């Protein structure tokens, strides 16, 4: 049985260019119900689990072709489970383009996953097709980010406003002095937008600000900030430490910093702030993009993912850090125990309460 229909993955070249809106059609064999009895959900009442097991063995055009077989298969190929598997097996695991805003996959709709998957393999076809001429395009006009645009801010001691401008310059404003038209302190050298920060209190007017940036840099700033009601003493800020290769700081103590990402991997990494030694936390079988929050306590480290709460023993972490040797791969520490959330609940926007 043959059927001709519009192929959403087809590419028509007019005047040497590909056009998504072109009226291209294709003809391919559409399997009859008798030839796909292992997939016929209607006649043989095959469970959806078996159907999902077979999905990774089908390419995207074949999955779309199944919609012409029967209504049951058409409905099944529009389910979120199908396109979550397709996105992971056919797109993400193969290194094809996938936007970060569509991660985790559970937060995107089935229609969104389908369109992103089709777009990714279409881009792959265009890129690998030698018949498509390569043309240099001028960049389209865009809005330049102003030099004073704010991309991060935080208030310290109910008095000091800390602001990062345009992913570089940091300013410290004294909110107690309303007549100020300039910041009380300016610090340059923080490259990249800040994506994580933790304020550690040493005394009422002395703090350590730990932060990370999207440029895979981690910094520690020593802040000497007078509290409310003190007028005779000014602010003093110094840069005391910098580590390369880490981003998305989720928690920090005086001794340990915990990051959700590194330059080479997207797994939780705990760094010893004095020596720079590091260990990796997690189960190799767990999705590394699932980390949502981290809390460091004297006895343990808790990692909240999208589906579990993982507890790591502090003694095991410190032992691995003490045996770490420069130039060797980091130790991978599995959780001491893991608590799974209810099956109908997905952790999103998680945060540990102080």
């Amino acid at each position: 049985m043959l059927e001709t229909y519009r192929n959403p993955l087809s590419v028509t070249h007019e005047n040497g260019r590909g056009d998504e809106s072109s009226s291209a059609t294709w003809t391919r064999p559409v399997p009859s119900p008798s030839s796909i009895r292992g997939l016929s959900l209607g006649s043989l009442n095959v469970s959806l689990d078996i159907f999902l097991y077979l999905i990774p063995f089908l390419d995207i055009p074949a999955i779309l072709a199944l919609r012409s077989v029967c209504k049951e298969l058409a409905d099944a190929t529009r389910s979120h489970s199908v396109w979550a598997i397709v996105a992971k097996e056919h797109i993400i695991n193969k290194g094809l383009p996938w936007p970060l805003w569509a991660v985790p996959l559970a937060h995107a709709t089935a229609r969104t996953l389908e369109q992103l998957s089709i777009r990714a393999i279409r881009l792959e076809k265009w890129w690998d097709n030698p018949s498509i001429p390569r043309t240099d395009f001028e960049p389209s006009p865009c809005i330049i980010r102003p030099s004073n645009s704010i991309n991060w801010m935080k208030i310290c001691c109910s008095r000091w406003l800390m602001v990062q401008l345009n992913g570089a310059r940091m300013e410290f404003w004294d909110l107690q002095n309303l007549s100020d038209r300039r910041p009380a302190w300016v610090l340059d050298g923080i490259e990249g937008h800040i994506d994580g920060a933790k304020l550690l209190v040493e005394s009422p007017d002395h703090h350590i600000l730990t932060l990370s940036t999207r440029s895979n840099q981690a910094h520690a700033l020593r802040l000497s900030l007078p509290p409310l009601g003190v007028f005779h003493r000014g602010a003093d800020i110094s840069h005391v430490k910098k580590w390369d290769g880490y981003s998305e700081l989720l928690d920090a103590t005086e001794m340990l910093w915990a990051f959700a990402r590194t330059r080479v991997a997207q797994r939780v990494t705990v760094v010893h702030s004095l020596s720079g030694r590091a260990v990796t936390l997690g189960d190799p079988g767990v999705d590394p993009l699932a980390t949502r929050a981290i809390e460091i306590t004297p006895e343990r480290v808790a990692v909240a993912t999208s589906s579990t709460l993982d507890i790591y023993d502090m003694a095991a972490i410190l032992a691995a850090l003490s045996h770490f040797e420069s130039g060797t791969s980091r130790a991978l520490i599995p959780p001491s125990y893991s608590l799974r959330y209810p099956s109908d609940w997905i952790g999103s926007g998680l945060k540990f309460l102080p």
Side-chain angles (χ1 to χ4, degrees):
M1 178 174 65
L2 296 178
E3 182 172 336
T4 301
Y5 62 98
R6 180 177 177 81
N7 175 18
L9 306 178
S10 61
V11 179
T12 297
H13 308 297
E14 298 177 359
N15 300 324
R17 299 178 60 185
D19 186 2
E20 292 182 28
S21 61
S22 58
S23 56
T25 60
W26 71 346
T27 302
R28 66 170 291 154
V30 177
S32 63
S34 60
S35 64
I36 57 165
R37 290 190 176 276
L39 295 177
S40 179
L41 299 179
S43 60
L44 291 183
N45 195 25
V46 174
S47 68
L48 182 60
D49 292 338
I50 297 178
F51 179 64
L52 295 178
Y53 175 80
L54 298 172
I55 283 296
F57 299 98
L58 303 176
D59 58 15
I60 293 179
I63 295 173
L64 297 176
L66 289 176
R67 294 179 178 176
S68 302
V69 177
C70 63
K71 181 179 183 301
E72 288 81 2
L73 279 176
D75 293 340
T77 55
R78 290 186 174 91
S79 70
H80 187 279
S81 299
V82 167
W83 288 104
I85 294 174
V86 170
K88 183 176 182 181
E89 297 294 334
H90 293 293
I91 309 300
I92 298 176
N93 289 352
K94 293 182 179 180
L96 297 181
W98 190 264
L100 290 178
W101 58 262
V103 176
L105 302 179
H107 293 178
T109 64
R111 178 66 174 171
T112 298
L113 297 179
E114 177 181 338
Q115 293 301 314
L116 290 176
S117 300
I118 292 175
R119 180 187 302 175
I121 63 172
R122 182 187 292 130
L123 289 173
E124 183 186 28
K125 288 180 60 177
W126 286 348
W127 185 262
D128 295 335
N129 193 339
S131 64
I132 300 179
R134 298 296 186 256
T135 306
D136 294 331
F137 293 96
E138 293 293 333
S140 60
C142 60
I143 299 176
I144 304 297
R145 179 186 290 271
S147 59
N148 61 346
S149 61
I150 297 175
N151 54 273
W152 178 85
M153 66 172 59
K154 188 178 183 69
I155 293 180
C156 176
C157 306
S158 302
R159 173 178 175 177
W160 296 91
L161 176 63
M162 303 178 289
V163 178
Q164 187 192 35
L165 302 179
N166 204 24
R169 178 187 180 99
M170 288 197 66
E171 296 181 349
F172 296 80
W173 292 80
D174 185 0
L175 301 180
Q176 183 172 267
N177 192 345
L178 301 179
S179 62
D180 279 353
R181 293 296 180 265
R182 294 183 178 181
W185 198 276
V186 174
L187 183 68
D188 292 316
I190 307 297
E191 301 178 1
H193 292 190
I194 295 176
D195 60 5
K198 180 66 179 292
L199 193 64
L200 306 177
V201 180
E202 292 186 327
S203 66
D205 53 354
H206 290 83
H207 301 75
I208 296 293
L209 175 63
T210 59
L211 52 88
S212 62
T213 70
R214 296 180 188 174
S215 300
N216 295 301
Q217 293 182 355
H219 303 265
L221 309 179
R222 187 178 300 278
L223 313 179
S224 178
L225 303 175
L228 282 172
V230 177
F231 294 93
H232 62 277
R233 183 163 53 87
D236 184 35
I237 294 140
S238 60
H239 188 282
V240 296
K241 193 177 296 293
K242 174 185 175 182
W243 297 110
D244 289 321
Y246 306 101
S247 64
E248 200 169 335
L249 177 74
L250 293 183
D251 197 17
T253 64
E254 183 179 355
M255 182 175 60
L256 300 178
W257 299 358
F259 302 89
R261 303 172 188 270
T262 68
R263 180 180 286 116
V264 297
Q266 293 180 327
R267 289 197 175 277
V268 176
T269 302
V270 175
V271 179
H272 189 265
S273 63
L274 300 179
S275 65
R277 297 175 177 178
V279 295
T280 303
L281 306 183
D283 189 332
V286 175
D287 182 4
L289 299 177
T291 303
R292 296 289 180 268
I294 301 174
E295 183 182 51
I296 301 175
T297 67
E299 296 82 17
R300 61 188 63 88
V301 174
V303 178
T305 72
S306 59
S307 58
T308 61
L309 176 62
D310 299 329
I311 307 299
Y312 299 84
D313 183 61
M314 181 61 73
I317 295 175
L318 296 179
L321 288 171
S322 64
H323 291 88
F324 176 83
E325 296 181 2
S326 178
T328 62
S329 59
R330 297 176 185 140
L332 178 61
I333 301 178
S336 301
Y337 53 93
S338 182
L339 306 175
R340 182 165 293 277
Y341 306 144
S343 58
D344 58 346
W345 185 74
I346 297 176
S348 177
L350 300 178
K351 183 179 181 181
F352 288 99
L353 298 178

